[in-house]
Amino acid sequence: MTQPTPDSRRRRPRRNGWTNERRKVFLNVLRAWGNVAHAAHVAGMSREGAYRLRRRCPQFARAWDAAMAHDAPPLPVTRRPVTTIEKALVGDPEEVRYHGKRVGYRYRPDGMVGLALLRRLDRLLD
């Protein structure tokens, strides 16, 4: 009689573990953003748990690699300039690359623009 492999055993899914739905959410967010910590947070799990699952489940590891290799479409080009408030609160888009391929965009708020806005508001209140 052969011993079952860890992947061939059927386990009852845990309510607080990596359910199929959480895996789908994680992979979709990872494909869109290219950020493991953000994808795990959106899925309601930890970054460390995602890496443990990747080591444990080869099928999930292949899906992870496919999500990271996905080349995201470019941001839509807007005809209007970014307002100062948008730049302070949201930030300018910045490409995120993984192994030379574009995997998403990150937005970093500009703190100096935010401080300039606050100074301008202070002058208006004086």
Side-chain angles (χ1 to χ4, degrees):
M1 187 170 154
T2 62
Q3 292 290 334
T5 62
D7 290 333
S8 68
R9 282 185 266 157
R10 289 222 176 245
R11 293 183 185 161
R12 196 173 61 192
R14 293 173 45 178
R15 278 190 233 151
N16 61 349
W18 280 96
T19 62
N20 286 336
E21 186 61 32
R22 285 184 175 166
R23 290 179 188 199
K24 288 177 191 175
V25 168
F26 174 83
L27 292 171
N28 287 334
V29 173
L30 186 63
R31 178 177 289 112
W33 290 93
N35 185 322
V36 176
H38 177 66
H41 175 73
V42 171
M45 301 302 287
S46 69
R47 183 181 69 86
E48 293 81 11
Y51 281 106
R52 277 195 303 270
L53 179 62
R54 179 184 168 89
R55 284 190 300 270
R56 190 175 65 227
C57 180
Q59 182 181 6
F60 183 73
R62 284 190 300 274
W64 181 319
D65 291 338
M68 290 302 280
H70 180 262
D71 198 12
L75 284 177
V77 178
T78 59
R79 298 284 179 204
R80 65 177 179 76
V82 177
T83 65
T84 307
I85 293 174
E86 287 174 340
K87 190 170 182 177
L89 298 178
V90 178
D92 289 326
E94 181 181 301
E95 259 186 9
V96 176
R97 294 192 164 267
Y98 182 76
H99 292 296
K101 292 185 179 180
R102 183 178 60 237
V103 295
Y105 291 92
R106 156 185 26 218
Y107 292 85
R108 292 206 174 158
D110 192 341
M112 296 304 290
V113 173
L115 289 173
L117 277 173
L118 287 175
R119 279 194 300 268
R120 189 182 303 169
L121 289 172
D122 282 344
R123 278 189 230 131
L124 287 174
L125 292 175
D126 288 341

